[in-house]
Amino acid sequence: MSDANVRIPEEAKDRLAAIAAAEGLSLRAYLARLAETMLTPAERAERAEKALAALKKWNGYAPTAAQQQDLDSELDRRLAQVTGR
């Protein structure tokens, strides 16, 4: 296992360390677990394709690209509304 130095703001490091401690983990262990559980953009795209294929097979759901864009825009709008962005 190799070590890496990552430069982040002190506030971010402190926040991550507090979250790790609350879960009974070191910052190193927490970041390793986080890296194992996060999906890359390619992995997310692959899962989305599989989910869309399953929906199409199950109930015929097959939105057009324009419909998908509309749904993505609506989701972005709602997330922004909830997060205050």
Side-chain angles (χ1 to χ4, degrees):
M1 179 183 327
S2 65
D3 285 334
N5 290 320
V6 179
R7 290 186 169 280
I8 61 172
E10 189 73 24
E11 300 82 23
K13 182 191 88 63
D14 292 345
R15 180 175 172 79
L16 289 168
I19 294 167
E23 295 188 25
L25 298 170
S26 67
L27 179 55
R28 180 186 184 131
Y30 179 76
L31 291 174
R33 186 179 77 183
L34 184 64
E36 291 171 5
T37 60
M38 298 294 295
L39 298 175
T40 65
E43 291 167 334
R44 283 194 306 273
E46 181 182 354
R47 285 194 181 186
E49 277 185 37
K50 287 181 179 180
L52 194 55
L55 284 170
K56 185 175 182 179
K57 182 178 178 182
W58 176 58
N59 68 3
Y61 180 71
T64 65
Q67 289 170 324
Q68 286 183 9
Q69 182 59 48
D70 289 346
L71 291 168
D72 286 346
S73 295
E74 177 63 14
L75 179 58
D76 289 343
R77 184 190 68 74
R78 289 181 185 200
L79 287 171
Q81 188 178 36
V82 170
T83 60
R85 293 183 185 175

